[in-house]
């Protein structure tokens, strides 16, 4: 936000005044007592209200007239225009009107939102400050400002961790403090002891109910009589006081009206500023006469000086040639050395050219210049080099890959395991082992059937499927254990299916064994087992453990055989890959040989040795460019030496011709010719200067003559204006007019005093109609008698009021006593309150403990924050402070909760503000304000910054750097700077485009 315009109707020495401010920097330059501090305080008053002195007097009254107050036209960052208008004759908020961009009118609430929550203290100390605020750190250590510093850095906005810690400590001490009696917890404990005594007393209380009711009835009648009598006495006391207060005003009013009647009414026709108008007319007449006399002196002096000037016209006619010869003089003197240098340079370049030809192996210069060193030719060399490198690298890579593939193939063939015959034998043995497991299950089923015997016929029909299910899981677990399979997974699923089939067959055979089916033969199962053991290559007496071990061994063999099959497949792929790589290697070798043949042919076609490498050929071609350059530079030096000789001869001829035209000897000594040119140039300059002086004097004489005519007319007009004004006001001379003006001013003062005394009497009487009666009583009454009556009335009123108050107090006590006696539950209420207070005491104790823990944590966190972090406000201030002090102080430390700051220099120990010089301390405080201004603008609408001559204690260097920092701040915030020093205004506004004069 910025201030576009300030309008003051009346404030201090200003009346009907206005200023338009720039968007960035505005410098208000004025002498002492020009009103800079007044204007600063006017801006503060319009934004935050009017201040008063301690004795209530008006601060900055409208001394020059007008209504006290004015307007600010504000422009927000989004381009909206607001009007803030405030008027008031005394301290306080006054009459405030805030006009929004849409025309709606508001008040303090709208202004608070517009200012982003900034209060008077924050604005006066941070945004609008003078040297007094800058010199004292207390303006930055206030609660609101300190909260801004650390609240901004910790993300708490306007809330400070220090304030939170202080509030917690205050709440803790308010709850309980050792050796304290006014804290909440202490009061609770005291009340609890009091209630315990009350409970003991109530248990033995006597009845006084009837006596209290009788006394209450008597008191009520007496109090009504006292109230009526007191009202009559108070009315008389107030009437007597008004009459006494009106007596001095009535006496003054009579005296003022008598003085006004004795003065001359004709003086009212004189305007208020008649004497001021007279002074302006007299000043205008005297100034015109003095200026005319000064012009006459200037005319005489100019005519005298013009007669002393003589001019050589012949020398002026040759001015262009003289200046040309003077300008070429130094070049002419250097031509001999330049010609010798050019000849030596040509010889040196010719030697370098011969050395270069010898290094590249070309003896003849013409042969070297005939070589093609164009960009396409050099690019062709690069292309050939790239092709040779690519084809050679490809052939080398393929060769290495072929060698590696051959070694891998040989190693794989050596590691190949047994052939496919072994795999068929292992598969047959595994089938036999699986059949043995199946056979053992069938034997178990048969043995179970024989054990059950004929009782199977008595089993329920549903029991057989259930037994089959149980047996199925038993077979699954048994088979998994024998074959070494984990109990869960894909193998278990497959084995369950096989086991289910076995159980199904066993169930069918078992069902057949029940009466009506064929019997199973255990001997046939034993024969089948011997056959399967032979097929599995196991001994005839092998037990279940041997069968399980064989199953594990066969599973391992079968896995190894499956791995060998995969190895054979990979071996076939490697043979095919090797054949492909060998074919690619033959193609790459052919491409490499073709590139080499092309390179040799290219060298031969470009007149280069066929044994050169591409890098060497490129260097030769690049050297040809240097050959061309050296040959060209050598020829240029020869041409330059010849041109220098021709120019020297031409210069000498021109000088001889000039001297001949001027009729001056040419001279035979060549060493003196340069001084001749210098003398002619000096003489020419003096003649030109004399001609210019003569022209200036002639023009000045013409201007002075015309000015004298105008001044004569102005002096005559000033005399006529003075005479006419004296005649208008019936005065013969200025002294008579001054006397009349003072008498007219006295009449105006008398009328104002009469109006003021009349207003005082109206206020005392209560209305204008009652003033006449009040004046009559005030004039007729004796002051001493009235004072005595007033004293008696006041004494009676106090006595009656005390009696009525005493009766009322006693009446309240009796009513409370009666109410207490009428209720029989007072004892229970006391006991209930005691129980409630015990609960509150427990809660207060818990809260006290919570606050104690929070205080400890906050203290530790704040100390760590001070050590490890600094808020953004301090970082911004560091940047400004380092800039102002030219890096002498690199870091600012502002611990939360402390009322001062420290600075750390480039070398040495940290320093407090008391250890800094006055100027350095002010620069630190200024940097801290800049940091707060930047931080405030990040979270709210930025405010204009107003400064009153704050650079007076800075040395020249730091004032310059501080002004640079202020100009930098003005690129982001509006700056209004008051100063009485022109050099300060120049530092802040070097071009003078942003400076306004405050007269």
């Amino acid at each position: 936000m910025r201030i576009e315009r300030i309008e003051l109707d009346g404030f201090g020495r200003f009346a009907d005044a206005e200023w338009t401010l720039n968007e960035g920097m505005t410098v208000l330059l004025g002498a002492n007592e020009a009103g800079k501090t007044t204007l600063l305080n006017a801006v503060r008053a319009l934004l935050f209200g009017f201040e008063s002195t301690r004795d209530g007097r008006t601060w900055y009254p409208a001394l020059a007239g007008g209504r006290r107050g004015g307007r600010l036209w504000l422009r927000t960052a989004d381009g909206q225009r607001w009007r803030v208008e405030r008027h008031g004759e005394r301290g306080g908020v006054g009459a405030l009107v805030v006009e929004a961009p849409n025309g709606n009118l508001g008040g303090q609430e709208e202004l608070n939102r517009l200012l982003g929550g900034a209060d008077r203290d924050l604005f006066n100390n941070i945004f609008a400050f003078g040297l007094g605020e800058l010199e004292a750190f207390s303006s930055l250590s206030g609660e609101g400002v300190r909260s801004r510093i650390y609240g901004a850095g910790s993300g708490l906005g306007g809330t400070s961790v220090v304030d939170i810690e202080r509030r917690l400590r205050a709440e803790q001490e308010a709850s309980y403090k050792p050796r304290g009696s006014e804290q909440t917890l202490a009061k609770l404990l005291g009340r609890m002891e009091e209630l315990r005594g009350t409970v003991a007393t109530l248990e033995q209380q006597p009845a006084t109910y009837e006596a209290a009711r009788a006394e209450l009835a008597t008191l009520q009648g007496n109090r009504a009589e006292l109230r009526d009598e007191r009202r009559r006495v108070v009315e008389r006391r107030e009437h007597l006081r008004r009459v006494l207060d009106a007596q001095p005003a009535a006496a003054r009013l009579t005296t003022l009206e008598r003085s006004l009647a004795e003065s001359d009414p004709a003086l009212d026709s004189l305007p208020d500023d008649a004497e001021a108008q007279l002074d302006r007319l007299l000043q205008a007449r005297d100034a015109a006469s003095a200026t005319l006399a000064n012009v006459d002196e200037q005319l005489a002096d100019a005519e005298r000086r013009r007669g002393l000037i003589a001019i050589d016209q012949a020398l002026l006619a040759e001015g262009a040639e003289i200046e040309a010869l003077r300008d070429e003089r130094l070049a002419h003197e250097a031509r001999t050395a330049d010609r010798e240098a050019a000849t030596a340079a040509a010889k040196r370049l010719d030697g370098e050219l011969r050395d270069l030809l010898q290094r590249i192996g070309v003896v003849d210069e013409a042969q070297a210049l005939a070589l093609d060193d164009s960009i396409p030719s050099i690019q062709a060399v690069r292309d050939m080099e790239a092709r040779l490198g690519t084809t050679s690298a490809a052939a080398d890579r393929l060769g290495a890959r072929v060698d590696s593939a051959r070694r891998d193939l040989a190693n794989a063939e050596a590691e190949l395991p047994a052939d496919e015959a072994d795999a068929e034998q292992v598969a047959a043995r595994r089938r036999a082992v699986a059949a043995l497991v199946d056979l053992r299950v069938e034997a178990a089923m048969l043995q179970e059937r024989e054990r059950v015997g004929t009782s199977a016929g008595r089993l329920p029909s549903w029991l057989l499927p259930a037994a089959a299910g149980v047996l199925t899981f038993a077979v699954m677990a048994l088979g998994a254990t024998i074959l070494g399979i984990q109990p869960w997974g894909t193998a278990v699923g497959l084995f369950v299916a096989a086991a289910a089939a076995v159980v199904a067959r066993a169930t069918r055979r078992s069902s057949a064994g029940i009466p009506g089916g064929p019997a199973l033969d255990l001997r046939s199962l034993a024969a089948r087992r011997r056959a399967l053991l032979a097929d599995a290559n196991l001994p005839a007496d092998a037990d279940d453990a041997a069968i399980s071990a064989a199953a594990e061994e066969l599973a391992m063999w079968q896995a190894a055989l499956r791995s060998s099959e995969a190895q054979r497949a990979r071996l076939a792929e490697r043979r095919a890959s090797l054949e492909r790589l060998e074919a690619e290697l033959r193609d790459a070798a052919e491409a490499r040989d073709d590139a080499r043949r092309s390179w040799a042919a290219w060298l031969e076609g470009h007149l280069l040795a066929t044994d050169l490498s591409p890098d060497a050929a490129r260097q030769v071609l690049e050297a040809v460019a240097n050959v061309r350059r050296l040959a060209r530079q050598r020829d240029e030096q020869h041409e330059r030496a010849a041109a220098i000789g021709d120019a020297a001869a031409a210069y000498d001829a021109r000088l001889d011709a000039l001297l001949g035209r001027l009729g001056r000897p040419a001279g035979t000594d060549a060493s003196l010719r340069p001084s001749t040119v210098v003398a002619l140039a000096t003489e020419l300059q003096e003649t030109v200067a004399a001609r210019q002086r003569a022209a200036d004097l002639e023009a000045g004489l013409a201007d002075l003559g015309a000015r004298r005519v105008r001044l004569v007319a102005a002096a005559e007009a000033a005399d006529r204006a003075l005479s006419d004004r004296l005649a208008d006001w019936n005065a013969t001379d200025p002294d008579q007019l001054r006397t009349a003006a003072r008498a007219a001013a006295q009449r105006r003062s008398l009328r104002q005093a009469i109006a003021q005394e009349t207003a005082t009497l109206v206020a005392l009487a209560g209305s204008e109609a009652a003033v006449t009666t009040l004046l009559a009583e005030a004039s007729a009454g004796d002051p001493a008698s009235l004072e005595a009556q007033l004293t008696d009335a006041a004494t009676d009123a106090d006595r009656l009021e005390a009696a009525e108050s005493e009766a009322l107090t006693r009446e309240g006590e009796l009513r409370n006593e009666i109410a207490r006696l009428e209720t029989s539950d007072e004892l229970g209420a006391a006991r209930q309150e005691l129980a409630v207070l015990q609960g509150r005491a427990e809660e207060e104790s818990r809260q006290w403990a919570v606050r104690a823990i929070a205080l400890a944590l906050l203290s530790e966190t704040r100390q760590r924050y001070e050590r490890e972090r600094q808020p953004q406000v301090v970082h911004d201030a560091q940047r400004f402070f380092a800039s102002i002090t030219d890096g002498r102080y690199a870091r600012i430390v502002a611990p939360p909760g402390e009322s001062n700051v420290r600075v750390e220099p480039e070398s040495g120990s940290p320093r407090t503000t008391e250890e800094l010089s006055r100027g350095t301390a002010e620069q630190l405080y200024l940097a801290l304000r800049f940091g707060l201004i930047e931080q405030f603008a990040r979270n709210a609408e930025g405010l204009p910054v107003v400064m009153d001559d704050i650079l007076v204690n800075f040395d020249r260097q730091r004032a310059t750097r501080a002004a640079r920092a202020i100009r930098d701040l003005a690129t982001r915030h509006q700056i209004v700077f008051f100063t009485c020093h022109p050099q300060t205004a120049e530092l802040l506004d070097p071009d003078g485009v942003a400076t306004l004069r405050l007269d």
Side-chain angles (χ1 to χ4, degrees):
M1 181 182 69
R2 64 185 181 88
I3 302 174
E4 280 192 342
R5 189 174 183 83
I6 305 173
E7 298 177 358
L8 295 181
D9 299 331
F11 197 88
R13 67 184 300 275
F14 295 116
D16 194 20
E18 58 186 35
W19 297 268
T20 300
L21 306 182
N22 298 320
E23 181 175 356
M25 172 74 73
T26 299
V27 180
L28 289 172
L29 176 62
N32 291 329
E33 299 186 359
K36 300 184 297 299
T37 304
T38 301
L39 184 54
L40 170 62
N41 283 283
V43 173
R44 290 172 171 171
L46 292 178
L47 287 175
F48 296 99
F50 302 99
E51 296 186 9
S52 299
T53 59
R54 292 184 177 178
D55 57 2
R57 291 186 295 106
T58 301
W59 191 256
Y60 288 104
L63 300 176
R67 186 183 178 192
R68 184 168 178 255
R71 286 158 297 283
L72 291 178
W73 294 93
L74 307 176
R75 180 78 67 176
T76 58
D78 55 4
Q80 294 185 338
R81 197 169 190 240
W82 294 69
R83 176 175 63 88
V84 176
E85 182 171 352
R86 193 189 298 266
H87 293 87
E89 295 303 324
R90 295 187 179 276
V93 296
L96 172 65
V97 176
V98 179
E99 182 181 358
N102 58 7
N104 293 339
L105 300 181
Q108 190 63 48
E109 184 177 354
E110 286 73 20
L111 182 58
N112 289 340
R113 288 198 299 269
L114 187 62
L115 296 177
D119 57 10
R120 177 192 297 273
D121 290 338
L122 184 66
F123 184 78
N124 289 352
N125 291 322
I126 302 304
F127 291 93
F129 56 94
L131 189 60
E133 291 85 2
L134 189 65
E135 289 176 341
F137 182 69
S138 59
S139 62
L140 284 175
S141 60
E143 293 298 323
V145 177
R146 196 162 65 246
S147 295
R148 281 283 179 185
I149 293 178
Y150 274 87
S154 58
L156 299 176
T159 303
S160 171
V161 174
V162 180
D163 296 336
I164 296 174
E165 186 176 349
R166 186 179 295 108
R167 186 168 64 252
L168 279 174
R169 183 170 286 105
E171 292 175 356
Q172 186 185 29
E173 293 182 354
S175 176
Y176 177 73
K177 183 178 181 180
R179 296 182 298 279
S181 60
E182 297 299 323
Q183 288 71 33
T184 302
L185 189 56
K187 290 181 179 179
L188 287 174
L189 296 175
R191 177 59 179 162
M192 288 168 63
E193 290 299 322
E194 180 181 347
L195 285 172
R196 291 189 181 98
T198 300
V199 169
T201 302
L202 288 175
E203 292 174 348
Q204 303 173 358
Q205 175 181 335
T208 58
Y209 181 72
E210 292 299 332
R213 289 182 61 87
E215 185 180 356
L216 177 61
T218 302
L219 283 174
Q220 287 176 341
N222 294 337
R223 190 167 58 83
E225 295 175 359
L226 288 172
R227 182 172 59 250
D228 294 340
E229 184 180 358
R230 183 175 63 82
R231 183 171 58 251
R232 291 191 298 272
V233 171
V234 168
E235 289 176 354
R236 175 166 177 72
R237 181 190 65 188
E238 294 304 318
H239 178 73
L240 290 171
R241 180 178 289 116
R242 285 196 298 272
V243 172
L244 280 171
D245 292 342
Q247 284 185 336
R252 290 194 298 271
L253 180 62
T254 302
T255 302
L256 291 171
E257 289 177 342
R258 186 185 305 112
S259 299
L260 181 63
E262 293 173 355
S263 62
D264 185 5
L267 295 174
D268 294 339
S269 62
L270 281 178
D272 296 348
D273 61 340
E275 192 170 2
Q277 293 185 34
L278 175 64
D279 290 339
R280 287 196 292 271
L281 290 171
L282 289 172
Q283 290 174 1
R285 183 192 64 182
D286 296 342
S289 300
T291 305
L292 180 60
N294 185 34
V295 167
D296 289 338
E297 292 178 2
Q298 294 178 21
L299 277 170
D301 181 66
E303 289 174 350
R304 178 184 58 78
R305 286 186 286 129
R306 177 63 185 90
L308 299 175
I309 298 174
I311 301 172
D312 187 353
Q313 297 295 335
L315 190 64
L316 289 174
E318 297 293 339
E321 182 65 12
I322 293 173
E323 290 177 350
L325 291 172
R326 179 201 61 195
D327 295 339
E328 296 178 18
R329 180 181 61 84
L330 295 177
H332 175 68
E333 293 176 356
R335 283 189 179 109
T336 301
D338 291 344
R339 182 166 51 189
E340 295 175 352
T343 303
K347 183 177 180 181
R348 176 180 53 79
L349 290 170
D350 191 60
E352 293 179 2
L353 179 59
R354 288 194 299 273
D355 293 341
L356 180 58
L357 290 173
Q358 185 176 3
R359 284 200 304 272
I360 65 175
V362 179
V363 178
D364 186 30
E365 178 181 336
Q367 180 183 355
L369 296 176
L371 292 175
D372 183 8
D373 62 338
S374 64
I375 292 177
S377 178
I378 295 175
Q379 183 61 42
V381 173
R382 291 195 179 97
D383 294 341
M384 288 287 186
E385 185 177 14
R387 180 183 174 191
L388 287 170
T390 301
T391 54
S392 298
D396 293 342
R397 285 195 304 272
L398 285 170
R401 290 178 62 189
V402 167
D403 294 341
S404 177
R406 287 171 179 167
R407 287 193 299 271
D408 291 344
L409 180 59
N411 293 334
E413 289 175 346
E415 296 174 358
L416 188 65
D419 57 10
E420 290 78 356
D422 294 335
E424 181 59 30
Q425 183 181 359
V426 171
R429 291 182 63 193
R430 286 206 67 185
R431 287 194 295 271
V433 171
L436 284 171
V437 173
D438 191 5
L439 188 64
R440 185 167 57 182
V441 172
E442 291 185 22
M445 292 288 292
L446 181 59
Q447 291 173 358
E448 181 64 18
R449 186 195 58 126
E450 289 179 350
R451 186 182 63 80
V452 175
T454 58
S455 62
R458 294 188 298 272
L459 292 175
S461 60
W462 55 268
L463 188 56
L464 290 175
V470 173
L471 189 57
T472 298
F473 285 102
V475 170
M476 179 181 69
L478 179 62
T481 302
I482 294 173
L483 296 181
I485 302 175
Q486 294 295 328
W488 307 110
T490 304
V492 172
L494 295 176
F495 192 81
V496 167
V502 172
V503 172
R505 290 197 303 273
T507 303
R508 288 194 298 270
R509 292 172 185 175
S510 177
S511 299
I514 297 172
L520 293 175
D521 189 355
L522 290 175
R523 288 191 300 272
S524 64
L525 291 178
R528 287 173 57 196
R529 185 175 186 277
R530 287 192 298 272
L532 290 173
L533 287 172
D535 293 341
N537 198 18
L538 291 172
D541 57 350
D543 56 7
D544 292 342
I547 293 173
S548 297
E552 292 178 0
E553 181 182 359
L554 291 172
M556 293 175 60
W557 271 101
Q558 192 167 22
L561 290 173
R562 284 196 298 269
S563 176
S564 75
E565 291 175 0
Q567 289 178 349
R568 292 180 188 278
R570 290 195 295 271
L571 187 61
E573 292 177 358
R574 288 180 177 177
R575 290 194 183 99
S577 177
L578 178 59
E579 292 175 357
R580 289 193 301 270
L581 288 174
E582 289 174 343
E584 292 176 5
L585 177 59
R586 289 191 295 272
D587 295 340
E590 179 60 28
R592 180 188 57 197
D593 295 341
D594 183 61
R596 290 173 177 173
R597 289 191 295 271
S598 298
W599 171 241
W602 190 90
L603 290 172
E604 185 177 358
H606 285 76
L607 306 178
L608 293 171
T610 56
D611 57 348
L612 290 177
S613 65
D615 183 59
R618 187 172 58 252
Q619 292 181 16
V620 169
L621 294 180
E622 290 173 353
V624 169
N626 289 331
V627 170
R628 297 181 190 280
R629 177 181 57 79
L630 291 172
R632 182 177 63 257
Q633 292 176 351
R634 178 197 59 195
D635 295 341
E636 289 173 353
Q637 292 298 327
H638 284 307
E639 294 172 358
R640 180 168 173 265
I644 290 173
D646 295 340
Y651 182 86
D652 290 335
R654 287 170 57 197
L655 178 57
D656 292 341
L658 173 63
L659 293 173
R661 290 193 297 273
L662 292 175
R664 303 188 183 190
T668 57
D669 189 352
S671 61
L672 298 178
R673 294 172 67 83
S675 61
T676 301
V677 175
V678 173
L680 287 173
T682 302
E683 187 178 349
L684 175 64
Q685 290 177 354
E686 294 174 352
T687 304
V688 170
R691 181 181 62 183
Q692 183 61 45
R693 288 196 302 274
D696 292 342
L697 287 171
E698 291 171 357
L701 286 169
D703 292 341
L704 287 171
R707 185 181 176 192
R708 187 180 187 286
V709 173
R710 293 193 299 271
L711 289 173
V712 169
E716 294 174 352
D719 286 334
R720 288 194 301 273
L722 178 61
S723 300
D724 294 343
R725 188 56 54 88
L726 290 174
D728 292 342
W729 290 337
N730 298 320
T732 58
D733 55 40
D735 292 338
Q736 183 182 1
L737 179 60
R738 293 183 192 280
T739 302
R742 295 189 183 97
Q746 186 175 6
R747 278 183 61 80
R748 287 192 295 272
S749 298
L750 288 172
R751 281 195 292 270
Q752 291 177 357
I754 289 171
Q756 184 175 357
E757 296 298 337
T758 303
T760 301
L761 291 171
V762 170
L764 290 172
S767 65
E768 293 183 1
V771 170
T772 302
T773 302
L774 181 64
L775 280 173
E777 293 181 5
S779 301
D782 178 42
S785 176
L786 290 174
E787 286 285 354
Q789 296 177 39
L790 178 62
T791 302
D792 294 342
T795 302
D796 292 343
D798 293 340
R799 177 180 54 79
L800 292 171
E801 183 177 4
E804 183 181 1
S805 176
E806 182 180 354
L808 185 62
T809 301
R810 179 56 183 164
E811 183 179 339
E813 292 174 351
L814 290 171
R815 289 182 184 277
N816 291 335
E817 180 67 15
I818 291 171
R820 184 181 63 81
L821 294 174
E822 287 177 344
T823 58
S824 59
D825 58 348
E826 184 176 0
L827 180 59
R831 288 172 176 169
Q832 182 179 1
E833 182 182 357
L834 180 59
V836 170
L837 291 180
Q838 287 175 343
R840 287 181 56 191
E842 293 175 359
E843 177 62 20
E844 284 292 333
S845 299
R846 188 186 66 82
Q847 291 292 339
W848 188 91
V850 170
R851 294 189 189 102
I853 295 172
L855 277 171
L857 293 176
L858 275 175
S859 177
E860 181 181 354
T861 302
R862 179 168 61 83
Q863 293 173 5
R864 181 179 301 174
Y865 183 88
E866 177 186 349
R867 292 192 305 268
E868 300 176 359
R869 294 184 56 201
Q870 288 286 348
Q872 185 61 41
V873 171
V874 180
H875 283 296
D876 291 339
Q878 284 178 177
R879 175 168 55 85
F880 285 112
F881 191 49
S883 175
I884 294 173
T885 61
D886 198 21
R888 177 176 177 81
Y889 297 96
R891 187 167 182 262
I892 299 175
V893 179
E898 296 188 10
S899 60
N900 57 12
V901 296
R902 299 188 302 273
V903 294
E904 296 182 356
E906 289 181 331
S907 60
S909 58
R911 300 180 184 177
T912 63
T913 54
E914 291 77 7
E915 297 172 325
L916 299 175
S917 66
R918 176 180 179 179
T920 304
E922 291 177 5
Q923 292 149 20
L924 171 62
Y925 303 155
L926 180 63
L928 285 170
R929 283 177 169 84
F930 285 1
L932 283 165
I933 290 167
E934 296 280 40
Q935 178 62 35
F936 186 89
R938 294 188 182 98
N939 302 316
E941 178 85 20
L943 299 181
V945 182
V946 187
M947 308 178 194
D948 187 5
D949 235 347
I950 60 171
L951 303 182
V952 295
N953 294 325
F954 295 10
D955 59 40
R956 180 68 180 179
Q957 290 76 18
R958 292 196 178 181
T960 301
R961 290 191 291 270
R964 190 182 307 119
I966 294 173
R967 292 200 302 272
D968 173 65
L969 190 68
T971 61
R972 299 178 296 280
H973 307 272
Q974 184 185 34
I975 303 293
V976 182
F977 196 100
F978 298 99
T979 181
C980 61
H981 302 287
Q983 59 270 28
T984 301
E986 185 178 356
L987 286 176
L988 295 167
D989 181 26
D991 299 329
V993 297
T995 301
L996 301 178
R997 291 199 170 270
L998 194 63
D999 297 325

